Amino acid sequence: MSATGIGAAVRRKEDHRFITGKGQYTDDISRPGETRALFIRSPHAHAKIKRIDSAAASKMPGVVAILTGEQLAADKIGNLICGWMIHSKDGTPMKMAAHPAIASGKACYVGDPVALVVAETMAQAKDAAEKVVIDYEVLPAVVDPAQAKSGPQIHDVAAKNTIYEWSLGDARATDAAIRSAKHVTRLHLINNRLVPNAMEPRVAIGEYDSGSEHFTLWNTSQNPHVARLVIAAFVGMAPEHKLRVIAPDVGGGFGSKIFIYPEEVAVLWASKRTGRPVKWTSDRSEAFVADAHGRDHVTDAEMAFDAEGRIVALRAKTIANLGAYMSTFSSSVPTYLYATLLSGQYAIPNIYCEVDAVYTNTVPVDAYRGAGRPEATFVVERLVEVGARELGIDPAELRRRNFVKSFPHQTPVIMTYDAGDYNASLRKAMELADVKGFGKRKREAARHGKLRGLGYSTYIEACGIAPSQAVGSLGAGVGLWESAEVRVNPTGSVEILTGCHQHGQGHETTFAQVVADRLGIPIENISVVHGDTDKVQFGMGTYGSRSGAVGISAIVKALDKIEAKAKKVAAHMLEASETDIEFKDGKFTVAGTDKSASWGDVTLNAYIAHKFTGQELEPGLKEGAFYDPTNFTFPAGCHICEVEIDSETGQTKIVNWTAVDDFGTIINPMIVEGQVHGGVAQGVGQALLEHAVYDKDGQLVSGSFMDYTMPKAENLPPLQVATTVTKCPSNPLGLKGCGEAGAIAAPAAVINAITDAIGTEDVAMPATPQTVWAALQKANRMKQAAE
């Protein structure tokens, strides 16, 4: 292994510009003649817009324009769309309601944009917004997904607010297995709604050039090419070749910046209407009601066991809250990203899942770090843990007894697991967590009046979201391949153009490591270019832990072509047969001889055209590739959480955390460890602290950091992070993906640990001190009543 190649803990190249303040985020960009945009948002969760009077506001100093949904519709700007078709059990397509960038006629959630003020400064825009008079007719609202079907109708297209009633698996076989089982564990589970809260709020700048009839959008996007495609082809803003989308440095996304948002469409449209660049920057309070939320499932689940503790069936019925409108990929999250992972790491012969997706008068819900996989893992791992307690079997032993042990393994819910060793991860995690010594630690805690608990989460996820044939057959509107272009300069330096996008993952380092390892050149001689649709070939972006397994695989394919072309050049230079040329560590040699040429000599000669006169060899050294894998990748692992609880206050402290993950081949272990740390922090946040709470009228009562509790350093102990390795067989380097694992595994591990400590399963997320204290009091009352 080289010092900067695959497997080396190379410091991130991009960090120098970030920590020295030299990063360029969208809000750092200013265009000549730029105006500022402010969206007036509905204060009501459900209301008819009866009248908008902007006459007085239009005369305010600095006001350039005040725009409404009626004007947007008059200019024939289309609706935002959901790009993944789901059909109900009866074969009917999902009920996708119209979603204009600015509401017209009716607002459907608190925060729905109802007008746009464009002014010279933000202060002037705010002053003018206060003068806009909007008359509303307030309508009844529904916010609870469990009550959505009996609540007030939100969209005419969706009777009983139902988007689809979908199912996966064999209902009859699952029912039969549950009826004949020796034991059935049943749970009612709520997966709490979350607000993504990326460090950088969203920003969008629209600019229209009337001379070329060309639009440019600068935005905080995880997939700029998809944004261009949707805004061009479906919203109808401009032909695709007349729209450029640039996503520069992006300060975190966690899924929330995948989607195409109303503000991005509106600033482009406003720029054309005003003849000026229009810039919108979200503040944090606005982000709470403007950015897509995550999770929000209500599930009743059953797991059936035979007399030997083997799982014979799993059944789940989930209501998924998709909010007031369907977001870009929202339909796929509670279906094919959720139900297909309900087998977990276990050989379960019968699984059946029903999912009802509903509209409510809340912020739209879409993918958030893990996207469906955390929800599935929470269902499976809570059932297994509670089942072990009810059966009187050690939870680790019950898992071990049911693990998939041979591969490939076909689950009853579509997925084919290709490789893994789940027992290895469990065994290593138990050793590192000193599970054998837990009893002693528990007794010691009891002597100090504290309760100790241990919780497992043996998770699996489907990553490398890509196989076009698979996702296309499941309803995806586009193929999810990835692209790469490798440009070798005459001096031997290399530029990598990737359709992936970096927003914290460290692609500029890991992608360069792969190239440095392959070509034997210094990592400093490699640059990575992404995020600009005019510079980079079409790509599908970054989400679903796909950048390594799919994005790097595309780079490897392009490098294969580069090496093949370079060998042709070297053969010409060394007067040898192409088949005799060997390439290693940046040097071309003729096999069995001491004749050689360096990488730099070959790349320079590739651009000296007269050298190839009479040869069937084009000058230059540039190659592209598209990579479409044959299967998903399946990272898996075991996380063990140990907690200590103050029974008097319900305060939970995580005292130990062990994470052992199988990510396949690891490019940079330091970056991987950082990804695990971040994911665990977000998963712990969901389990203990975070919750987007609406009141009955649809007001978000946890709409700021005063009320929405984010995890802090004090909420986490030092993490023990380790890996096991089984290589993925479906991509060239054996990569699996690591970005979401912590967020997927953590919630179940925390809740399993808390319930182990307090001796009751009646704990919902977030397990705040109040929640835990109440559960303890209820358990004590029940115990006293039983006595």
Side-chain angles (χ1 to χ4, degrees), residues 221 223 255-261 264 292 327-329 366-368:
S221 174
N223 50 1
S256 69
K257 293 173 182 174
I258 299 172
F259 324 121
I260 291 81
Y261 283 99
E264 296 163 353
S327 182
T328 311
F329 292 114
D366 209 318
Y368 172 66

Side-chain angles (χ1 to χ4, degrees), residues 359-629:
Y359 288 116
T360 62
N361 296 112
T362 61
V363 173
V365 176
D366 209 318
Y368 172 66
R369 197 170 191 168
R373 282 72 54 86
E375 297 91 316
T377 295
F378 192 72
V379 170
V380 175
E381 289 303 292
R382 287 293 289 128
L383 284 169
V384 171
E385 193 83 10
V386 176
R389 294 167 188 170
E390 292 175 349
L391 291 167
I393 301 174
D394 179 80
E397 171 55 30
L398 185 63
R399 287 174 167 84
R400 193 179 294 114
R401 196 174 296 181
N402 285 281
F403 279 155
V404 172
K405 296 178 178 67
S406 61
F407 298 87
H409 172 79
Q410 178 63 56
T411 74
V413 279
I414 297 178
M415 294 299 182
T416 302
Y417 299 168
D418 52 11
D421 187 344
Y422 308 145
N423 192 47
S425 297
L426 174 63
R427 183 173 59 248
K428 189 169 184 178
M430 292 178 70
E431 292 171 359
L432 292 172
D434 186 22
V435 172
K436 289 182 179 179
F438 173 70
K440 180 180 179 181
R441 298 193 296 276
K442 185 178 180 74
R443 290 188 295 272
E444 181 65 23
R447 281 194 289 271
H448 293 87
K450 301 295 177 66
L451 304 172
R452 278 239 175 182
L454 197 71
Y456 295 82
S457 181
T458 50
Y459 75 95
I460 190 168
E461 52 171 326
C463 287
I465 304 300
S468 296
Q469 184 175 5
V471 297
S473 68
L474 302 179
V478 292
L480 295 179
W481 40 263
E482 197 45 80
S483 67
E485 185 176 291
V486 177
R487 297 178 181 174
V488 181
N489 297 315
T491 56
S493 61
V494 176
E495 298 168 25
I496 305 298
L497 286 75
T498 174
C500 297
H501 189 279
Q502 170 181 288
H503 40 279
Q505 294 85 350
H507 293 169
E508 292 178 33
T509 303
T510 52
F511 288 17
Q513 283 182 255
V514 171
V515 177
D517 191 85
R518 178 66 176 271
L519 301 181
I521 63 175
I523 196 170
E524 295 79 12
N525 291 357
I526 303 161
S527 63
V528 177
V529 181
H530 62 90
D532 187 337
T533 60
D534 272 15
K535 290 182 178 179
V536 178
Q537 69 289 340
F538 197 104
M540 299 308 299
T542 293
Y543 41 85
S545 301
R546 69 190 301 273
S547 295
V550 190
I552 286 180
S553 293
I555 293 171
V556 170
K557 281 190 68 177
L559 288 171
D560 289 342
K561 297 178 183 179
I562 289 289
E563 182 177 328
K565 173 74 176 291
K567 281 182 175 179
K568 292 179 186 289
V569 176
H572 179 78
M573 292 171 59
L574 299 172
E575 298 179 333
S577 170
E578 181 186 334
T579 57
D580 290 335
I581 300 296
E582 297 176 345
F583 179 61
K584 185 179 180 181
D585 297 331
K587 181 181 289 188
F588 297 86
T589 58
V590 179
T593 75
D594 60 357
K595 295 176 66 177
S596 66
S598 69
W599 169 256
D601 287 341
V602 170
T603 60
L604 180 61
N605 274 271
Y607 286 88
I608 302 176
H610 69 265
K611 296 230 175 187
F612 304 127
T613 304
Q615 304 287 323
E616 293 183 1
L617 189 63
E618 293 181 353
L621 199 52
K622 179 181 80 169
E623 299 288 349
F626 288 78
Y627 178 74
D628 196 353

Side-chain angles (χ1 to χ4, degrees), residues 112-171:
D112 207 354
V114 296
L116 171 60
V117 179
V118 181
E120 299 292 347
T121 69
M122 180 53 65
Q124 291 171 329
K126 289 180 178 180
D127 289 343
E130 292 181 358
K131 296 294 184 179
V132 176
V133 178
I134 304 177
D135 291 337
Y136 294 97
E137 179 185 331
V138 179
L139 303 172
V142 59
V143 299
D144 185 346
Q147 298 176 3
K149 290 190 177 186
S150 59
Q153 185 90 1
I154 299 172
H155 301 292
D156 292 340
V157 71
K160 296 183 177 180
N161 294 320
T162 301
I163 300 168
Y164 53 74
E165 295 177 334
W166 175 89
S167 67
L168 183 66
D170 189 328

Side-chain angles (χ1 to χ4, degrees), residues 689-701:
L689 303 164
E690 299 183 51
H691 193 190
V693 179
Y694 282 89
D695 68 13
K696 62 181 179 60
D697 298 318
Q699 297 294 329
L700 183 63
V701 297

